Amino acid sequence: MIDIEAVIEAGDWAALLGGDDAAVEALAIQTLRHGLAADPALAPFLATSGGDARLTLTVLFTDDAAVRTLNRQWRGKDKPTNVLSFPGDWLELEEEDIAALAEGADVPPAHIGDIALALETIRAEATEQGKTPRDHLL
């Protein structure tokens, strides 16, 4: 099982996407699961339900100011961007570790990574590209 945590830190994402915070979180989880399904190594984790999560992933819904700070800190670029991604320890796992996780071995879950999204940049890009913010985000 993959535990996807969606955190709304700043910005009115619900208004941007139409709905409430729970709908934003559900959309994020559904979209990420769909994207993760393209990776054959993750298939065993997506096929299971219930029980302890074997993998984790976090998506942060925030604003340009927060993403600008992260971008400056981690990439040396003092400007906001639409999305930042940070790999977790998943990429460091060997095949036998992945198999052990998939089989439910008594090992700590691995973290796929973190994703940070900037509200104002996503909104502006959607307008520039003639898309709805929801379509651009997806």
Side-chain angles (χ1 to χ4, degrees):
M1 182 174 161
I2 299 175
D3 181 25
I4 299 172
E5 180 181 14
V7 177
I8 301 174
E9 176 187 73
D12 194 354
W13 288 89
L16 181 76
L17 299 174
D20 58 13
D21 286 354
V24 172
E25 292 170 6
L27 177 65
I29 291 168
Q30 176 187 15
T31 303
L32 288 166
R33 286 193 185 283
H34 182 352
L36 294 171
D39 187 336
L42 296 174
F45 300 98
L46 290 166
T48 61
S49 62
D52 293 334
R54 307 313 306 149
L55 296 175
T56 61
L57 183 140
T58 303
V59 59
L60 175 67
F61 291 88
T62 193
D63 58 18
D64 275 10
V67 170
R68 180 179 183 168
T69 299
L70 290 170
N71 205 18
R72 182 176 53 243
Q73 179 181 358
W74 294 100
R75 298 180 63 225
K77 297 183 180 202
D78 190 16
K79 63 181 183 176
T81 186
N82 58 359
V83 61
L84 289 172
S85 62
F86 302 92
D89 57 3
W90 166 257
L91 296 176
E92 299 169 11
L93 296 178
E94 302 293 331
E95 278 188 42
E96 56 271 10
D97 297 326
I98 295 170
L101 279 168
E103 293 167 6
D106 189 22
V107 295
H111 188 62
I112 297 172
D114 303 302
I115 301 168
L117 301 163
L119 178 83
E120 298 91 342
T121 298
I122 288 173
R123 180 187 297 127
E125 288 177 348
T127 299
E128 290 168 11
Q129 297 172 20
K131 300 177 185 174
T132 67
R134 184 180 192 279
D135 286 345
H136 186 53
L137 178 64
L138 296 178

